[in-house]
Amino acid sequence: METTTGEMRKKMGDIKENVAHSLEKSAWSDRYHAVESKVREGVDASEEFVKAHPFYTILGAAAVGFVAGALINRKH
């Protein structure tokens, strides 16, 4: 029996609501919101850096890709 995309989205929405409701009732709610705000601050700072320094961002990503490729393809 296959699940359609609409059914899967509804199930995921239900799961999200259940998790949110459980978090509101738990003692972890305050910690969750604190972490969420810190993550949003980090994302905003990252976006600002990328917009202000696109060349350095691309250069850095290329360097990371080069190092990762060199590590993956190295011979033992």
Side-chain angles (χ1 to χ4, degrees):
M1 182 175 185
E2 292 185 29
T3 305
T4 64
T5 305
E7 291 172 344
M8 186 61 89
R9 285 185 180 162
K10 180 168 178 8
K11 287 180 183 180
M12 293 301 290
D14 292 344
I15 291 171
K16 186 177 178 182
E17 287 177 17
N18 289 340
V19 169
H21 183 68
S22 296
L23 278 174
E24 286 177 9
K25 292 195 308 188
S26 74
W28 289 96
S29 179
D30 293 335
R31 183 71 180 146
Y32 171 80
H33 292 297
V35 170
E36 182 182 33
S37 68
K38 290 288 185 184
V39 168
R40 287 182 195 267
E41 289 174 12
V43 168
D44 292 341
S46 298
E47 287 178 357
E48 289 176 20
F49 180 84
V50 170
K51 287 177 184 176
H53 307 288
F55 179 75
Y56 294 122
T57 303
I58 293 171
L59 193 61
V64 169
F66 178 77
V67 171
L71 290 174
I72 290 171
N73 289 324
R74 67 182 174 162
K75 306 262 184 206
H76 294 286

